[in-house]
Amino acid sequence: MLRNKYITLKKAIYIAVICYTLILLFIVATSYICIKKLDQKVYLWIQLENIDRQILEVRRYEKNYLLYHNKQDLIYAMDYIEKLELELEKNSKFIKNLDTKNKIDELKKTINNYKTILENFIEQEKISTAQAKKIRKEGHKIVVIFNEIRNKIIQKLDDEIKKYSLVPILIIFIVLLIAPIGAYILAIWIIKPIEHLAYYAYQITKDQANCIPEYEKWFIKYKEYEQLRKAINQMINSLNNKQQELIQAEKMAAIGTTISGIAHEINNPLNNIFLTAEIIIDSFEELNQEEIQEMLQDIYKEAERAREIVAHLLEFARNKRESNLENIDLRKLVKETLKLVANEIALKGIKEKIILPEEEVFVKGNFNQLQQVLINIITNAIQAMNKGGKLEIRVKKKDYQAVIEISDTGPGIPEDIRKKIFDPFFTTKEKGTGLGLSVSYSIIQKHKGQIEVESEEGKGTIFRILLPVYRKQGRGNVDGNR
């Protein structure tokens, strides 16, 4: 029963995208049908004009014959009569559909009578005044009947053109009304459990709760939240057990504060989720579908990253960790990481300078873990520059090593503290746990790299990450180390 209540966030986003795509296809299909209908109406309008021209030509040659008695004019008139009959036959189906069947039949009958009179005139040497009046009368009757048909058809065409022109506009208006509401509901559906998670995470940091309870308000929940909640609770239990072991072994009496490390480690992804979600809520009417989809994907990525961070903390407590290694371009790693902390940088009024090489700088490693290292270091730099400053990040190659330098203009780190910053649980922050840089140091070591620190009080700090370059070589050797 519980399984039916959960859906993955990825699937929910896919469903939302599919729904919006179907709506878009519906709009396109409806617009296409309306355009085709309009095209038919315009085509019929043109055909009516063609028929009108045929009738005018017949009457012109009729008039010429009555004036000059040239039988060639009768032959020309007969040609146009035949063309007129062809035009009527070709378009009679469309015209009859517009409630003009009786009039069309009357027009055809009149044209046939007119044609018979013309044929008789061709056989006669001379016509009488009565015959001339008769042919004028029949010709005039053709004009009158056709004008009645055309006026009626034009009225109906005007009505249908207006109708088919309004349909796409009406559909688009309805979609524009429904789409933001759907996006807002989806955003709230994603945000509320995260707020619930953040609230209890904060309560845990204040020792006012020892686990995160299940979020009960939504009947359908997304699976990643529940996995994250269970992972955090499992981590809390594991850290509590570790705390007891350390206390019994008389190691690090401050282990009781490790539970608050949850907030430190997952604070960055949660902040990014909140900031992105706030943008969606505050500006969703101004955002288009593509921007909303991109922001929801960012939320999903951050939730995934938070879950992985929790898993890493749990593994750190158990002293076990496995890494899925891949080829990583450090330029991309830096760019993606800066997107996640861009809001914090902007809020603190910090100027950033990014220096990246033109060529790719590849290393072999785990993208999320290396990103976690950069976020930890950059976040420390941001927190060190409360009143603003300058953050510089540089990527370069040095011999067979890839180097990432992160420098800030903060107050610097005293020498006696600098020696301890990578020790587990060492911190100078009031609510810190000292796990951030310790985990970062461990990750870089597992990537066969190093972290160096240079700092001068009053001037700032430089963190330098050195990793082996991954280089593909022509004869099968792909190891960047020599």
Side-chain angles (χ1 to χ4, degrees):
M1 184 70 181
L2 259 178
R3 290 181 181 177
N4 296 331
K5 294 172 62 178
Y6 292 97
I7 183 173
T8 64
L9 188 56
K10 184 186 289 185
K11 188 179 290 185
I13 292 171
Y14 284 162
I15 291 171
V17 171
I18 289 170
C19 289
Y20 281 112
T21 303
L22 290 175
I23 291 171
L24 183 62
L25 289 174
F26 174 72
I27 293 173
V28 172
T30 306
S31 300
Y32 175 76
I33 291 169
C34 290
I35 289 169
K36 291 295 289 183
K37 291 287 185 182
L38 290 172
D39 186 57
Q40 289 177 2
K41 306 308 173 187
V42 172
Y43 171 78
L44 184 54
W45 202 313
I46 292 170
Q47 296 307 308
L48 288 174
E49 294 300 319
N50 289 337
I51 293 171
D52 185 50
R53 280 196 296 271
Q54 302 290 348
I55 293 173
L56 290 175
E57 289 296 321
V58 171
R59 296 302 312 278
R60 183 168 69 87
Y61 283 111
E62 170 205 311
K63 182 179 179 181
N64 288 343
Y65 173 73
L66 294 176
L67 287 173
Y68 306 112
H69 302 289
N70 185 349
K71 287 195 176 182
Q72 188 63 40
D73 290 326
L74 291 178
I75 294 170
Y76 288 146
M78 286 295 293
D79 288 340
Y80 277 104
I81 284 289
E82 290 175 359
K83 291 178 182 178
L84 176 59
E85 288 177 329
L86 287 174
E87 289 288 345
L88 283 173
E89 189 62 34
K90 185 171 67 173
N91 297 289
S92 61
K93 180 181 178 182
F94 296 109
I95 296 173
K96 286 179 180 180
N97 287 337
L98 295 170
D99 299 330
T100 58
K101 182 178 182 303
N102 293 334
K103 283 292 181 182
I104 290 294
D105 292 339
E106 184 182 353
L107 179 62
K108 286 182 177 180
K109 185 178 178 181
T110 306
I111 290 172
N112 192 51
N113 293 338
Y114 186 86
K115 183 179 178 182
T116 302
I117 294 171
L118 287 181
E119 289 172 347
N120 291 334
F121 283 1
I122 292 173
E123 295 174 358
Q124 296 177 15
E125 288 296 330
K126 194 174 182 181
I127 64 170
S128 64
T129 304
Q131 288 175 317
K133 287 182 179 180
K134 184 177 181 180
I135 196 170
R136 284 196 189 98
K137 182 179 178 181
E138 289 298 319
H140 179 71
K141 188 176 179 181
I142 291 172
V143 173
V144 170
I145 295 171
F146 177 74
N147 283 338
E148 289 177 1
I149 293 171
R150 183 172 63 176
N151 291 338
K152 188 173 182 179
I153 291 174
I154 287 174
Q155 181 61 44
K156 286 185 173 292
L157 287 177
D158 283 341
D159 294 340
E160 293 196 10
I161 286 172
K162 288 177 183 177
K163 179 179 72 176
Y164 288 117
S165 299
L166 286 174
V167 168
I169 296 172
L170 182 62
I171 292 173
I172 291 171
F173 175 77
I174 293 171
V175 169
L176 289 176
L177 187 67
I178 294 174
I181 296 173
Y184 178 77
I185 291 171
L186 180 61
I188 292 296
W189 180 73
I190 292 171
I191 293 164
K192 287 298 182 183
I194 298 297
E195 289 178 345
H196 174 82
L197 189 72
Y199 171 77
Y200 278 97
Y202 179 70
Q203 294 299 105
I204 289 169
T205 64
K206 297 171 66 177
D207 293 330
Q208 294 180 2
N210 54 13
C211 68
I212 300 175
E214 187 176 355
Y215 187 73
E216 299 288 351
K217 291 186 179 180
W218 294 104
F219 178 72
I220 298 176
K221 310 177 185 69
Y222 53 92
K223 195 174 182 180
E224 289 82 358
Y225 162 76
E226 186 61 19
Q227 290 173 339
L228 179 61
R229 186 187 70 83
K230 288 179 179 179
I232 292 175
N233 286 339
Q234 187 178 359
M235 183 202 64
I236 292 169
N237 290 333
S238 178
L239 288 176
N240 283 332
N241 292 335
K242 194 69 177 178
Q243 181 186 26
Q244 294 302 320
E245 292 175 7
L246 291 173
I247 291 173
Q248 290 174 5
E250 295 182 356
K251 292 179 180 180
M252 300 192 177
I255 193 65
T257 62
T258 57
I259 296 176
S260 62
I262 300 165
H264 178 81
E265 291 300 324
I266 66 172
N267 186 51
N268 293 321
L270 287 179
N271 277 344
N272 287 319
I273 289 171
F274 288 145
L275 290 169
T276 305
E278 284 177 359
I279 291 172
I280 293 175
I281 292 173
D282 294 340
S283 306
F284 75 94
E285 291 182 353
E286 302 171 9
L287 299 173
N288 58 40
Q289 180 182 347
E290 185 179 350
E291 290 170 333
I292 291 173
Q293 181 183 347
E294 183 180 351
M295 289 183 178
L296 291 176
Q297 288 285 3
D298 288 341
I299 290 174
Y300 171 77
K301 289 179 183 177
E302 285 302 285
E304 283 286 329
R305 190 168 68 83
R307 183 175 63 179
E308 186 164 350
I309 290 171
V310 170
H312 289 167
L313 283 169
L314 183 61
E315 289 165 359
F316 179 82
R318 294 177 175 174
N319 198 26
K320 295 179 182 178
R321 182 172 303 169
E322 295 178 359
S323 299
N324 295 320
L325 301 181
E326 58 184 329
N327 297 336
I328 301 170
D329 185 357
L330 293 185
R331 300 177 307 166
K332 180 181 178 182
L333 176 68
V334 169
K335 289 177 183 177
E336 292 294 321
T337 304
L338 283 172
K339 288 180 183 179
L340 303 178
V341 296
N343 290 320
E344 293 184 54
I345 291 173
L347 288 172
K348 290 288 183 72
I350 296 170
K351 296 180 180 179
E352 61 178 80
K353 182 179 181 181
I354 314 302
I355 303 172
L356 303 175
E358 293 183 359
E359 61 176 349
E360 298 171 330
V361 182
F362 278 108
V363 298
K364 194 82 169 178
N366 181 282
F367 189 93
N368 287 336
Q369 289 184 0
L370 291 177
Q371 189 177 65
Q372 180 185 346
V373 171
L374 289 184
I375 288 174
N376 284 338
I377 295 174
I378 292 172
T379 301
N380 286 340
I382 293 170
Q383 292 172 351
M385 295 184 286
N386 280 325
K387 298 181 180 179
K390 182 179 178 182
L391 176 69
E392 181 175 307
I393 302 176
R394 181 192 298 267
V395 175
K396 61 183 179 180
K397 284 183 182 178
K398 184 179 181 181
D399 297 328
Y400 299 109
Q401 288 186 315
V403 182
I404 304 175
E405 286 185 356
I406 303 167
S407 62
D408 63 64
T409 56
I413 305 172
E415 186 175 353
D416 58 330
I417 294 176
R418 205 183 313 155
K419 297 175 182 179
K420 304 175 184 178
I421 58 175
F422 296 114
D423 292 344
F425 311 115
F426 175 82
T427 181
T428 59
K429 300 174 186 177
E430 185 178 346
K431 294 185 179 180
T433 62
L435 282 173
L437 288 177
S438 178
V439 170
S440 299
Y441 186 83
S442 176
I443 289 171
I444 296 301
Q445 277 194 323
K446 292 196 177 216
H447 283 74
K448 299 180 181 178
Q450 295 176 306
I451 298 183
E452 298 175 352
V453 183
E454 294 179 11
S455 186
E456 186 174 349
E457 289 187 64
K459 291 188 177 181
T461 303
I462 300 174
F463 277 82
R464 190 175 292 110
I465 301 170
L466 298 94
L467 295 165
V469 172
Y470 179 79
R471 299 196 309 169
K472 292 184 178 179
Q473 298 185 356
R475 298 186 178 178
N477 182 14
V478 294
D479 190 355
N481 298 320
R482 293 190 178 181

